[in-house]
Amino acid sequence: MPPTLKDVAERAGVSRAAVSRTFTDGASVSLKMRRKVEKAATELGYCPNALASSLTTGRTKLIGLVSNNFHNPIFLEVFDLFTRGLQDRGLRPLLVNLSDETDPAHSIRMLRQYSVDGVVVASSTLPPGFAKSFRDAGVPVVHSFGRYASSPEVHVVGIDNVECGRMAARELVRRGYRNVAFLGGPELATSTQDRLRGFVEELAHHPEIAVRHSFAEAYSFNAGRREMLKRLADRPAEAYFCGDDVLSIGALSAITGSGLTVPGDIGLIGLNDMEMAGWENINLTTIRQPISSIIESSIELIVSMLEKPDRYPEARLFPCRVIERGTLRPVAG
C-alpha cells in the first residue's frame, strides 16, 4: 500500500493537520515543521493526493484549455507550450476539443463537472461571445489568439489581424505584384474577416493593383489545396496572401502539383511562422505571430485571475513581422 498522510505524520511525530498544511499552497507552517514533514515524506516515498487536496482547498488546479482547430498543425505547438507552461506553475491542463461544438453552454457544463479553476480559450476562429459565456458563468477566462477590442469584455491576448493584412499587402506591393488575392480561412471567422479587411484597406491606396478574395472551408491543408485548385481553374492571381501557413502549404501543393512554380508563376505569403513553414521543401515567406509570447502572457493572466477573478479585462497585443524565405519574388532593383 502506498504511504498515507497518517504514515507521514507518525514518522515525523506531528499531527495530520500539520502534514496537510505543509502540502497546501499558502498555508502557514514553520520552516522547522516543513523540513521535518518533507524529510518523513521523502523517506516514505509519499506524494500528496491532488484530489484530496482539492477537497480541502476548494481548488482543483485544473485549467480548461479549449480549442476547435485540432486539424491545424500549428496547434501542436500551441498545446505543447500551453501544457508545459501551466504544469510549470503547478497547474493541470484539461484539454477540450470543440471541433464539432459551437454552443458554449455544453462546454461550460462539462468543465464545471471537473470543477476547473479557470479556462483558456485558444482559438482565432471562435467568436468573442464564446469566451464571454464562461465569464458570465463565473468562470475565470482568457481568450488567447482572440479578436482585439479596445474595451474587451474578457482578457484577450493576441495580434492585430487587421495590421497583419496590411503588412501582407505592403509586402506584395513592394515586390511589384499587380494582380493579387486573399485566400482566407472560414469566411465567418473573425481572424479571416480582420486579415481580409487590412489587406483590402491597404491595397485601396494602390488602385492600379487588381484585388480579389476567396475563402477555404477551414484552416487546413486540404481546404487550402482545394481552394487553390479552384483558383487555378480560373485565371489565378500573381500572388496570394493566405490566411495562415497551413492554408499556404495546401495552396503550394496545389500549385506545384499543377505543374506551376512558386514563386516563378505564383507568389505566396502566409501567417504564423509555424515550424513547418521553415522546412526546406516548403520555405514559406510568412508573417511571424509571436506564439510563445502570447501563450506566456495568457498563462500569466489566468494565474492572476485565480487570485483576483474580478480583475478588470485587458487586451494585450503583440507585434508581428515578415519572415522572408522563398515563396515571393525578390524586390526589384
Side-chain angles (χ1 to χ4, degrees), residues 44-58:
L44 291 171
Y46 171 77
C47 292
N49 187 308
L51 292 177
S53 175
S54 70
L55 294 174
T56 303
T57 63

Side-chain angles (χ1 to χ4, degrees), residues 23 50 54 79 111 114 128 130 137 156 194 219-220 271 277 291 310:
F23 293 108
S54 70
F79 296 147
L111 289 168
Y114 290 96
F130 195 95
V156 178
D194 290 347
Y219 282 112
S220 71
L271 194 154
I291 291 171
D310 57 348

Side-chain angles (χ1 to χ4, degrees), residues 89-300:
R89 289 162 175 80
L91 300 170
R92 295 185 291 276
L94 178 64
L95 198 57
V96 179
N97 186 343
L98 293 182
S99 295
D100 298 314
E101 180 64 60
T102 57
D103 180 9
H106 174 73
S107 302
I108 292 168
R109 286 193 300 271
M110 180 176 64
L111 289 168
R112 274 185 159 172
Q113 288 176 349
Y114 290 96
S115 300
V116 297
D117 289 339
V119 170
V120 175
V121 176
S123 172
S124 65
T125 58
L126 288 169
F130 195 95
K132 181 177 177 292
S133 297
F134 288 96
R135 188 209 69 177
D136 293 345
V139 181
V141 62
V142 174
H143 192 172
S144 190
F145 306 100
R147 189 181 212 174
Y148 171 76
S150 56
S151 299
E153 295 182 296
V154 301
H155 293 290
V156 178
V157 186
I159 60 174
D160 185 342
N161 281 298
V162 176
E163 178 57 25
C164 285
R166 296 190 186 108
M167 290 173 66
R170 288 193 292 267
E171 199 63 26
L172 297 185
V173 171
R174 194 168 73 91
R175 292 167 188 268
Y177 291 106
R178 290 295 176 266
N179 184 343
V180 302
F182 173 75
L183 194 163
E187 186 173 2
L188 296 180
T190 58
S191 54
T192 301
Q193 295 169 0
D194 290 347
R195 292 166 193 176
L196 173 60
R197 175 185 154 197
F199 190 69
V200 170
E201 286 180 354
E202 184 65 28
L203 290 170
H205 302 301
H206 301 274
E208 74 281 6
I209 298 178
V211 185
R212 63 186 110 161
H213 63 268
S214 61
F215 305 102
E217 62 191 24
Y219 282 112
S220 71
F221 172 89
N222 288 332
R225 191 175 190 279
R226 283 193 296 269
E227 189 59 34
M228 179 53 74
L229 287 173
K230 292 178 185 176
R231 299 310 109 208
L232 294 174
D234 197 2
R235 286 176 296 174
E238 293 179 297
Y240 288 83
F241 167 41
C242 296
D244 79 342
D245 288 349
V246 74
L247 285 177
S248 302
I249 295 170
L252 176 64
S253 173
I255 294 167
T256 57
S258 299
L260 301 174
T261 63
V262 176
D265 295 306
I266 296 174
L268 293 174
I269 181 170
L271 194 154
N272 275 333
D273 195 29
M274 61 191 292
E275 183 182 356
M276 291 171 59
W279 290 1
E280 184 178 355
N281 63 325
I282 295 174
N283 200 30
L284 179 68
T285 297
T286 188
I287 297 170
R288 174 173 291 168
Q289 178 172 201
I291 291 171
S292 60
S293 297
I294 291 170
I295 291 171
E296 179 64 28
S297 183
S298 299
I299 293 173
E300 177 194 328

Side-chain angles (χ1 to χ4, degrees), residues 309-325:
D310 57 348
R311 175 175 172 164
Y312 195 77
E314 64 175 288
R316 297 182 179 181
L317 285 184
F318 288 83
C320 298
R321 63 188 179 95
V322 174
I323 303 298
E324 183 171 351
R325 293 194 180 99

Side-chain angles (χ1 to χ4, degrees), residues 29-75:
V29 60
S30 69
L31 180 59
K32 181 180 178 180
M33 178 73 74
R34 181 177 297 280
R35 286 175 174 170
K36 186 185 294 187
V37 171
E38 289 177 345
K39 181 175 182 293
T42 300
E43 291 171 352
L44 291 171
Y46 171 77
C47 292
N49 187 308
L51 292 177
S53 175
S54 70
L55 294 174
T56 303
T57 63
R59 292 277 186 87
T60 62
K61 296 187 178 181
L62 283 172
I63 302 297
L65 182 55
V66 178
S67 190
N68 65 332
N69 203 8
F70 281 67
H71 48 261
N72 191 328
I74 188 67
F75 277 88

